[in-house]
Amino acid sequence: MSKIPQFVKYAAAFEEAVRSDDWSALAPFFSETASYDADLPEPFGGHFAGRTALLAYFKRILDGFDRRFASRELELIAGPRAEGDTVWLRGGARYTAAGRPDLSFELEETVTFDGDVIVHLADRYDAGEIARIQAYLREHGAALGIA
């Protein structure tokens, strides 16, 4: 059975957590031992092991990055596509801030399930996208309060 419907529920809950800042609402979507690999240089990425660490990372990155912008728009570019217990997609993000150019980038995400819970989440960026994000942050990060 495809994991796409469960992924869609998770994605909707994630966006609600972004709005409400209630990250505990995502806990039922992750196994206690879930892991997340965010393929970005520190302090924006890294490997996070365990549901508690994942949820803390989500809050930290939203507060320290996403919320520093006036808006955040997500775009589905390809997928989602189910491959056994894994859902794959390619997406884009666009951030806007007054007096600053937009920041846009693409990434691939894979979400691996065990039953109805996520056991591994991975976001991957190609080298050009990482370089674009780093250049933007060097030029505009301090003005946005992004360390």
Side-chain angles (χ1 to χ4, degrees):
M1 186 163 161
S2 173
K3 297 300 180 182
I4 291 174
Q6 187 64 11
F7 169 77
V8 170
K9 288 178 190 174
Y10 157 71
F14 185 92
E15 291 307 311
E16 179 55 33
V18 169
R19 284 187 288 282
S20 70
D21 203 28
D22 179 8
W23 297 97
S24 67
L26 289 181
F29 290 93
F30 290 95
S31 74
E32 193 170 314
T33 59
S35 63
Y36 178 38
D37 290 302
D39 182 30
L40 289 170
E42 291 288 342
F44 303 105
H47 175 78
F48 306 92
R51 179 173 51 214
T52 301
L54 271 147
L55 299 180
Y57 169 76
F58 289 157
K59 176 161 178 51
R60 180 177 65 83
I61 200 68
L62 263 288
D63 289 349
F65 184 84
D66 298 59
R67 295 189 200 290
R68 304 299 176 151
F69 291 87
S71 70
R72 168 184 164 271
E73 298 173 13
L74 304 178
E75 172 189 17
L76 181 61
I77 297 169
R81 183 177 68 230
E83 300 171 358
D85 288 335
T86 300
V87 174
W88 172 93
L89 65 88
R90 182 158 189 79
R94 180 174 166 258
Y95 294 85
T96 64
R100 304 282 169 219
D102 294 354
L103 170 62
S104 297
F105 54 86
E106 294 182 8
L107 67 140
E108 289 187 15
E109 183 168 80
T110 56
V111 184
T112 304
F113 289 86
D114 181 3
D116 286 339
V117 295
I118 298 168
V119 293
H120 186 72
L121 180 65
D123 289 342
R124 291 183 180 77
Y125 304 77
D126 70 28
E129 299 299 292
I130 292 172
R132 179 185 352 271
I133 295 166
Q134 289 176 318
Y136 185 95
L137 292 175
R138 275 193 303 276
E139 188 168 344
H140 305 287
L144 294 170
I146 300 172

